[in-house]
Amino acid sequence: MSKEIRPASNALKLFSDWNENGVRYCHWKSNEHLFPGLTGKTDLDIFINPSDVGLATQFMIKNNYKMVISHSWKRYSAVEDWIGLDEEQMLQTHLHVHYKLLTGLKNVKEQYFSFNKIVLDNIVMHDTYNIQICNPNIEIILLFTRAALKKSSFTRSRNVLSADAMKEYEYLKRRTAKADVEEFAHQMYPASIAEKLITLYNHPDDMTVYSDFRNNLIQTFRFLQSCNHAKAEQIYFRRQLFYKFRKLIGKPIRLKKKPVTGGKLISFIGVDGAGKTTLATFYAKWLSWKIDCRYVYLGTGDGKSSLLNRLKKKIVGSKSVSASMVKKESKMEHECNQNSKKKWSFKQKIKRTIANIICLSNDKYKYKTIKRIYRLVNSGEIIINDVQSGRANLIAFTDEAWQKLQDEEIDFNGILP
């Protein structure tokens, strides 16, 4: 029976520290599924008062959170990403920390709102956890606002709210009162927009009202946009097209985060059968939840490698050129040296030539793989591999050895795959 997953202890401790030390914050959206956020299934969207940034950051670091950065095309002003670890359960939690309320088209997020004060002045405590959350009467207003601005003109939909957003609506509807929603709507929006929002609150499937509500929002708050809506639509379309094309041709697109301190190389070193590959692939998959991380196969055995290397392995059998094969050739050479009259047969010469070519080819393949690993590390990725204990020197380079490698002065001859 699988062990029951509990909310990450470091996340709960972080919120408790914020509460006790007067940090003004709230979990400002998607409170309907707060538990999955606390167990590392989805993100935790936190809004923090900009004046409390320093104090909030101290407690994030104290509670085992590390800052990571998104790729430039998914990076937004006044938004940070922090990933924390609950060591007992090996749970990662992702804090999407906002210092301004930001929404808009996917991967563009062009629209800011100046609702900081009204949101923070009306926070409530969650029913189950010691976490400050957005007032449901305000959250349901923000839900319709986000739903309106997240949809592109290129995307046609028959529904105002998606299936997931409808679940949030039903969750919030049970916790709100029409009079309170109407009061907050008039505080946040002009009367014309507030009235349309109240209509949507009662009839969330009214597409005519929704269309007017969306257009009025864009026009009224265009002065708070990072770019105008037409340009945001172009950026959104270009990025979606780029993503679909890369996916079609089988090329990965980097969508995840990088450590602020730069890329890392993690090697599991041990003898054959120690479980290096199992551990390496497990941790590569585990880290890949939010971080650009990949497993790179360094050997020439049964692991995933280049097409040319796979062809070579097919030629020489299921195993690559083994130590026993080289040992046999060494024995033959010793016998020939002992008896100078004995000469190599034509068959022996062919076998020895093939063995030497494959050994040199494997060394060259490994050399190129190591260079590729360091290029990926220098680009900010985390690379995980496994190395046999006797060959650890191939990857555990000192600065001096790596400089020699860059100068192509390292001699790989004689290093077996």
Side-chain angles (χ1 to χ4, degrees):
M1 184 180 293
S2 60
K3 188 176 179 181
E4 182 181 359
I5 299 177
R6 306 183 307 277
S9 58
N10 65 316
L12 295 178
K13 181 65 167 58
L14 173 64
F15 291 121
S16 178
D17 287 344
W18 280 349
N19 294 339
E20 293 172 4
N21 291 274
V23 176
R24 299 190 72 198
Y25 78 94
C26 73
H27 189 270
W28 73 282
K29 64 178 182 178
S30 304
N31 286 298
E32 179 264 338
H33 50 265
L34 183 60
F35 178 76
L38 292 170
T39 52
K41 302 296 183 184
T42 186
D43 303 340
L44 292 166
D45 290 284
I46 311 298
F47 173 55
I48 297 178
N49 185 18
S51 62
D52 294 334
V53 172
L55 187 59
T57 301
Q58 288 181 27
F59 288 108
M60 283 191 280
I61 295 172
K62 178 182 176 182
N63 285 283
N64 209 14
Y65 278 87
K66 308 289 184 184
M67 183 188 286
V68 292
I69 54 175
S70 300
H71 292 276
S72 56
W73 65 284
K74 286 193 67 179
R75 201 176 304 157
Y76 317 118
S77 174
V79 179
E80 292 178 351
D81 293 282
W82 292 75
I83 293 180
L85 174 64
D86 177 351
E87 295 182 359
E88 182 182 351
Q89 298 185 88
M90 290 295 290
L91 278 182
Q92 297 179 73
T93 47
H94 176 213
L95 301 183
H96 209 211
V97 180
H98 297 246
Y99 302 118
K100 289 183 180 179
L101 296 176
L102 175 66
T103 188
L105 295 170
K106 184 179 180 181
N107 296 330
V108 183
K109 304 296 183 186
E110 78 284 357
Q111 184 66 64
Y112 290 85
F113 285 103
S114 55
F115 302 144
N116 299 19
K117 189 175 188 305
I118 193 170
V119 169
L120 292 175
D121 286 349
N122 293 279
I123 55 176
V124 296
M125 296 300 294
H126 191 267
D127 298 337
T128 306
Y129 306 110
N130 187 29
I131 299 174
Q132 297 176 7
I133 63 172
C134 186
N135 189 309
N137 297 291
I138 297 176
E139 186 180 351
I140 201 167
I141 294 172
L142 296 175
L143 175 65
F144 281 107
T145 302
R146 292 189 295 111
L149 296 175
K150 281 174 69 175
K151 290 187 178 178
S152 167
S153 301
F154 300 104
T155 306
R156 293 185 178 181
S157 176
R158 296 179 180 178
N159 301 316
V160 174
L161 300 176
S162 64
D164 290 338
M166 184 56 73
K167 290 180 182 179
E168 287 189 48
Y169 167 76
E170 292 169 354
Y171 168 85
L172 293 168
K173 186 75 181 290
R174 296 191 297 267
R175 290 163 171 77
T176 57
K178 181 181 177 181
D180 294 333
V181 173
E182 189 170 357
E183 180 182 350
F184 283 120
H186 281 91
Q187 291 181 39
M188 297 166 68
Y189 296 127
S192 58
I193 298 180
E195 292 301 326
K196 292 181 176 65
L197 195 143
I198 295 302
T199 304
L200 288 173
Y201 173 79
N202 293 313
H203 306 285
D205 55 351
D206 193 328
M207 286 297 294
T208 303
V209 175
Y210 160 77
S211 182
D212 292 340
F213 172 70
R214 179 176 180 272
N215 292 334
N216 287 351
L217 266 180
I218 293 171
Q219 291 300 318
T220 303
F221 292 94
R222 63 182 183 273
F223 68 96
L224 289 175
Q225 294 174 346
S226 58
C227 62
N228 64 56
H229 190 72
K231 185 176 180 180
E233 292 270 13
Q234 293 174 11
I235 296 171
Y236 169 79
F237 179 73
R238 186 168 64 247
R239 288 176 178 174
Q240 287 296 102
L241 187 65
F242 176 69
Y243 174 77
K244 296 292 185 184
F245 176 73
R246 295 276 292 185
K247 190 174 181 181
L248 179 66
I249 65 176
K251 292 287 186 179
I253 182 168
R254 294 172 180 172
L255 296 172
K256 300 179 183 178
K257 320 296 179 186
K258 297 180 180 180
V260 173
T261 53
K264 306 290 181 185
L265 172 61
I266 303 171
S267 294
F268 288 83
I269 301 173
V271 297
D272 284 339
K276 305 183 302 298
T277 303
T278 302
L279 286 171
T281 52
F282 169 79
Y283 281 105
K285 183 178 179 181
W286 179 74
L287 278 172
S288 295
W289 178 56
K290 285 293 175 183
I291 297 174
D292 277 328
C293 176
R294 70 177 77 185
Y295 169 74
V296 176
Y297 181 66
L298 190 63
T300 52
D302 297 329
K304 184 178 179 181
S305 59
S306 68
L307 175 62
L308 179 61
N309 207 53
R310 292 199 298 271
L311 289 173
K312 288 188 300 184
K313 286 188 284 186
K314 289 290 184 182
I315 293 171
V316 298
S318 60
K319 295 182 179 180
S320 60
V321 181
S322 63
S324 60
M325 182 177 178
V326 177
K327 184 177 180 181
K328 183 178 179 181
E329 297 300 325
S330 299
K331 184 178 179 181
M332 292 167 58
E333 183 178 8
H334 178 71
E335 290 175 354
C336 288
N337 290 335
Q338 292 294 324
N339 186 0
S340 57
K341 295 182 180 180
K342 185 177 180 180
K343 295 183 178 179
W344 291 92
S345 68
F346 179 75
K347 184 178 179 180
Q348 289 173 332
K349 289 180 180 179
I350 293 295
K351 287 176 65 178
R352 183 170 178 80
T353 300
I354 292 174
N356 288 336
I357 290 173
I358 293 177
C359 281
L360 291 172
S361 178
N362 285 338
D363 293 343
K364 186 176 180 181
Y365 167 75
K366 196 167 297 185
Y367 167 70
K368 288 183 176 180
T369 304
I370 292 170
K371 290 180 72 174
R372 174 170 167 260
I373 285 173
Y374 274 89
R375 279 197 300 269
L376 293 171
V377 169
N378 290 333
S379 72
E381 291 194 38
I382 293 180
I383 303 300
I384 298 180
N385 67 0
D386 58 273
V387 185
Q388 194 170 338
S389 55
R391 304 160 194 164
N393 61 311
L394 280 176
I395 198 66
F397 287 114
T398 62
D399 291 339
E400 182 181 355
W402 175 236
Q403 185 60 47
K404 288 182 179 179
L405 176 62
Q406 288 180 314
D407 296 336
E408 299 189 0
E409 293 177 2
I410 286 185
D411 182 12
F412 282 93
N413 294 333
I415 300 176
L416 299 179

Short mmCIF file of all heavy atoms in Angstrom, two decimals, residues 350-380:
data_model
loop_
_atom_site.label_atom_id
_atom_site.label_comp_id
_atom_site.label_asym_id
_atom_site.label_seq_id
_atom_site.Cartn_x
_atom_site.Cartn_y
_atom_site.Cartn_z
N ILE A 350 42.47 -8.82 -39.17
CA ILE A 350 41.18 -8.17 -39.39
C ILE A 350 40.47 -7.93 -38.06
O ILE A 350 39.96 -6.83 -37.78
CB ILE A 350 40.28 -9.01 -40.33
CG1 ILE A 350 40.89 -9.06 -41.74
CG2 ILE A 350 38.87 -8.45 -40.38
CD1 ILE A 350 40.93 -7.71 -42.44
N LYS A 351 40.46 -8.96 -37.21
CA LYS A 351 39.78 -8.83 -35.91
C LYS A 351 40.43 -7.74 -35.06
O LYS A 351 39.76 -6.95 -34.41
CB LYS A 351 39.81 -10.17 -35.17
CG LYS A 351 38.86 -11.21 -35.75
CD LYS A 351 39.00 -12.55 -35.05
CE LYS A 351 38.57 -12.47 -33.61
NZ LYS A 351 38.65 -13.78 -32.93
N ARG A 352 41.77 -7.72 -35.05
CA ARG A 352 42.47 -6.74 -34.25
C ARG A 352 42.23 -5.32 -34.78
O ARG A 352 42.06 -4.37 -34.02
CB ARG A 352 43.96 -7.04 -34.22
CG ARG A 352 44.76 -6.11 -33.33
CD ARG A 352 46.18 -6.60 -33.14
NE ARG A 352 46.93 -5.67 -32.32
CZ ARG A 352 46.87 -5.61 -31.00
NH1 ARG A 352 46.06 -6.43 -30.34
NH2 ARG A 352 47.58 -4.74 -30.31
N THR A 353 42.20 -5.16 -36.10
CA THR A 353 41.96 -3.84 -36.70
C THR A 353 40.57 -3.33 -36.35
O THR A 353 40.39 -2.17 -35.97
CB THR A 353 42.12 -3.93 -38.23
OG1 THR A 353 43.44 -4.37 -38.54
CG2 THR A 353 41.87 -2.56 -38.86
N ILE A 354 39.57 -4.24 -36.45
CA ILE A 354 38.19 -3.84 -36.11
C ILE A 354 38.10 -3.44 -34.65
O ILE A 354 37.47 -2.44 -34.29
CB ILE A 354 37.21 -4.99 -36.42
CG1 ILE A 354 37.12 -5.19 -37.94
CG2 ILE A 354 35.83 -4.70 -35.84
CD1 ILE A 354 36.30 -6.40 -38.35
N ALA A 355 38.76 -4.23 -33.76
CA ALA A 355 38.72 -3.92 -32.32
C ALA A 355 39.32 -2.55 -32.04
O ALA A 355 38.78 -1.75 -31.27
CB ALA A 355 39.46 -5.00 -31.54
N ASN A 356 40.45 -2.25 -32.68
CA ASN A 356 41.11 -0.95 -32.47
C ASN A 356 40.26 0.21 -32.99
O ASN A 356 40.14 1.25 -32.34
CB ASN A 356 42.47 -0.93 -33.16
CG ASN A 356 43.49 -1.80 -32.44
OD1 ASN A 356 43.35 -2.06 -31.25
ND2 ASN A 356 44.50 -2.27 -33.16
N ILE A 357 39.66 0.01 -34.17
CA ILE A 357 38.82 1.07 -34.74
C ILE A 357 37.63 1.37 -33.84
O ILE A 357 37.29 2.53 -33.58
CB ILE A 357 38.34 0.68 -36.16
CG1 ILE A 357 39.53 0.70 -37.13
CG2 ILE A 357 37.24 1.61 -36.64
CD1 ILE A 357 39.19 0.15 -38.50
N ILE A 358 36.98 0.32 -33.32
CA ILE A 358 35.80 0.52 -32.47
C ILE A 358 36.17 1.16 -31.15
O ILE A 358 35.48 2.04 -30.64
CB ILE A 358 35.06 -0.82 -32.27
CG1 ILE A 358 34.46 -1.28 -33.59
CG2 ILE A 358 33.96 -0.68 -31.23
CD1 ILE A 358 33.75 -2.62 -33.53
N CYS A 359 37.33 0.73 -30.58
CA CYS A 359 37.78 1.35 -29.33
C CYS A 359 38.03 2.85 -29.52
O CYS A 359 37.60 3.67 -28.71
CB CYS A 359 39.05 0.67 -28.84
SG CYS A 359 38.76 -0.91 -28.01
N LEU A 360 38.72 3.19 -30.60
CA LEU A 360 38.99 4.60 -30.87
C LEU A 360 37.70 5.37 -31.16
O LEU A 360 37.53 6.51 -30.73
CB LEU A 360 39.96 4.73 -32.05
CG LEU A 360 41.39 4.25 -31.79
CD1 LEU A 360 42.19 4.25 -33.10
CD2 LEU A 360 42.08 5.15 -30.77
N SER A 361 36.80 4.73 -31.87
CA SER A 361 35.52 5.37 -32.19
C SER A 361 34.71 5.62 -30.93
O SER A 361 34.09 6.67 -30.76
CB SER A 361 34.74 4.50 -33.16
OG SER A 361 33.49 5.08 -33.44
N ASN A 362 34.71 4.65 -30.00
CA ASN A 362 34.00 4.82 -28.73
C ASN A 362 34.59 5.95 -27.90
O ASN A 362 33.87 6.71 -27.27
CB ASN A 362 34.04 3.51 -27.93
CG ASN A 362 33.10 2.47 -28.49
OD1 ASN A 362 32.14 2.79 -29.20
ND2 ASN A 362 33.37 1.21 -28.20
N ASP A 363 35.93 6.04 -27.92
CA ASP A 363 36.59 7.12 -27.19
C ASP A 363 36.18 8.48 -27.76
O ASP A 363 35.92 9.42 -27.02
CB ASP A 363 38.11 6.96 -27.27
CG ASP A 363 38.60 5.73 -26.52
OD1 ASP A 363 37.83 5.21 -25.70
OD2 ASP A 363 39.74 5.30 -26.77
N LYS A 364 36.12 8.55 -29.08
CA LYS A 364 35.74 9.81 -29.72
C LYS A 364 34.29 10.15 -29.40
O LYS A 364 33.95 11.31 -29.12
CB LYS A 364 35.92 9.69 -31.24
CG LYS A 364 35.68 11.00 -31.99
CD LYS A 364 35.96 10.85 -33.47
CE LYS A 364 35.71 12.17 -34.20
NZ LYS A 364 35.95 12.03 -35.66
N TYR A 365 33.41 9.14 -29.41
CA TYR A 365 32.00 9.36 -29.06
C TYR A 365 31.86 9.87 -27.63
O TYR A 365 31.10 10.80 -27.34
CB TYR A 365 31.23 8.05 -29.25
CG TYR A 365 29.85 8.06 -28.63
CD1 TYR A 365 28.80 8.75 -29.24
CD2 TYR A 365 29.61 7.39 -27.43
CE1 TYR A 365 27.55 8.77 -28.65
CE2 TYR A 365 28.36 7.40 -26.85
CZ TYR A 365 27.33 8.09 -27.46
OH TYR A 365 26.09 8.10 -26.89
N LYS A 366 32.64 9.25 -26.74
CA LYS A 366 32.58 9.66 -25.33
C LYS A 366 33.11 11.08 -25.15
O LYS A 366 32.57 11.88 -24.38
CB LYS A 366 33.39 8.68 -24.49
CG LYS A 366 33.12 8.75 -23.01
CD LYS A 366 33.71 7.56 -22.28
CE LYS A 366 33.06 6.27 -22.73
NZ LYS A 366 33.53 5.10 -21.97
N TYR A 367 34.14 11.41 -25.88
CA TYR A 367 34.72 12.76 -25.83
C TYR A 367 33.69 13.80 -26.28
O TYR A 367 33.50 14.83 -25.64
CB TYR A 367 35.96 12.79 -26.73
CG TYR A 367 36.49 14.16 -27.04
CD1 TYR A 367 37.09 14.93 -26.07
CD2 TYR A 367 36.41 14.67 -28.34
CE1 TYR A 367 37.59 16.19 -26.36
CE2 TYR A 367 36.91 15.93 -28.65
CZ TYR A 367 37.50 16.68 -27.65
OH TYR A 367 37.99 17.92 -27.93
N LYS A 368 32.98 13.52 -27.37
CA LYS A 368 31.95 14.44 -27.85
C LYS A 368 30.80 14.56 -26.86
O LYS A 368 30.23 15.64 -26.66
CB LYS A 368 31.43 13.97 -29.21
CG LYS A 368 32.41 14.17 -30.35
CD LYS A 368 31.80 13.74 -31.68
CE LYS A 368 32.75 14.02 -32.84
NZ LYS A 368 32.15 13.59 -34.13
N THR A 369 30.45 13.43 -26.22
CA THR A 369 29.36 13.46 -25.24
C THR A 369 29.73 14.33 -24.05
O THR A 369 28.90 15.08 -23.53
CB THR A 369 29.03 12.02 -24.77
OG1 THR A 369 28.72 11.22 -25.91
CG2 THR A 369 27.85 12.02 -23.82
N ILE A 370 30.98 14.23 -23.60
CA ILE A 370 31.43 15.04 -22.47
C ILE A 370 31.39 16.53 -22.83
O ILE A 370 30.95 17.36 -22.03
CB ILE A 370 32.84 14.61 -22.04
CG1 ILE A 370 32.80 13.20 -21.44
CG2 ILE A 370 33.42 15.60 -21.02
CD1 ILE A 370 34.16 12.60 -21.21
N LYS A 371 31.81 16.87 -24.03
CA LYS A 371 31.74 18.27 -24.46
C LYS A 371 30.29 18.76 -24.49
O LYS A 371 29.98 19.89 -24.10
CB LYS A 371 32.38 18.42 -25.84
CG LYS A 371 33.89 18.23 -25.84
CD LYS A 371 34.50 18.39 -27.22
CE LYS A 371 34.48 19.83 -27.67
NZ LYS A 371 35.20 20.01 -28.96
N ARG A 372 29.39 17.88 -24.96
CA ARG A 372 27.96 18.23 -24.99
C ARG A 372 27.43 18.44 -23.58
O ARG A 372 26.64 19.36 -23.33
CB ARG A 372 27.18 17.11 -25.69
CG ARG A 372 25.67 17.29 -25.68
CD ARG A 372 25.01 16.27 -26.60
NE ARG A 372 23.59 16.22 -26.37
CZ ARG A 372 22.97 15.29 -25.65
NH1 ARG A 372 23.68 14.34 -25.07
NH2 ARG A 372 21.66 15.30 -25.50
N ILE A 373 27.84 17.59 -22.65
CA ILE A 373 27.40 17.72 -21.25
C ILE A 373 27.77 19.09 -20.71
O ILE A 373 26.95 19.78 -20.09
CB ILE A 373 28.01 16.60 -20.39
CG1 ILE A 373 27.30 15.27 -20.67
CG2 ILE A 373 27.91 16.95 -18.90
CD1 ILE A 373 27.94 14.08 -20.00
N TYR A 374 29.01 19.50 -20.94
CA TYR A 374 29.44 20.78 -20.40
C TYR A 374 28.78 21.97 -21.09
O TYR A 374 28.58 23.01 -20.48
CB TYR A 374 30.97 20.88 -20.45
CG TYR A 374 31.59 20.25 -19.23
CD1 TYR A 374 31.90 18.90 -19.21
CD2 TYR A 374 31.82 21.00 -18.08
CE1 TYR A 374 32.44 18.31 -18.08
CE2 TYR A 374 32.36 20.42 -16.95
CZ TYR A 374 32.67 19.08 -16.96
OH TYR A 374 33.19 18.50 -15.83
N ARG A 375 28.42 21.81 -22.37
CA ARG A 375 27.68 22.88 -23.03
C ARG A 375 26.30 23.04 -22.38
O ARG A 375 25.83 24.16 -22.15
CB ARG A 375 27.52 22.57 -24.52
CG ARG A 375 28.73 22.91 -25.36
CD ARG A 375 28.38 22.99 -26.84
NE ARG A 375 27.85 21.72 -27.35
CZ ARG A 375 28.59 20.76 -27.88
NH1 ARG A 375 29.91 20.91 -27.95
NH2 ARG A 375 28.05 19.66 -28.34
N LEU A 376 25.64 21.91 -22.08
CA LEU A 376 24.33 21.96 -21.44
C LEU A 376 24.41 22.54 -20.03
O LEU A 376 23.56 23.32 -19.61
CB LEU A 376 23.72 20.55 -21.40
CG LEU A 376 23.35 19.94 -22.75
CD1 LEU A 376 22.96 18.48 -22.59
CD2 LEU A 376 22.21 20.71 -23.40
N VAL A 377 25.46 22.13 -19.29
CA VAL A 377 25.64 22.66 -17.94
C VAL A 377 25.87 24.17 -17.98
O VAL A 377 25.30 24.93 -17.20
CB VAL A 377 26.82 21.96 -17.23
CG1 VAL A 377 27.19 22.67 -15.93
CG2 VAL A 377 26.45 20.51 -16.93
N ASN A 378 26.69 24.62 -18.92
CA ASN A 378 26.97 26.05 -19.04
C ASN A 378 25.75 26.84 -19.50
O ASN A 378 25.67 28.05 -19.27
CB ASN A 378 28.13 26.29 -20.00
CG ASN A 378 29.46 25.82 -19.44
OD1 ASN A 378 29.64 25.80 -18.22
ND2 ASN A 378 30.38 25.44 -20.30
N SER A 379 24.78 26.18 -20.14
CA SER A 379 23.55 26.85 -20.54
C SER A 379 22.55 26.93 -19.40
O SER A 379 21.50 27.55 -19.55
CB SER A 379 22.91 26.14 -21.74
OG SER A 379 22.35 24.91 -21.35
N GLY A 380 22.86 26.28 -18.26
CA GLY A 380 22.00 26.39 -17.08
C GLY A 380 21.24 25.14 -16.72
O GLY A 380 20.49 25.12 -15.74
#
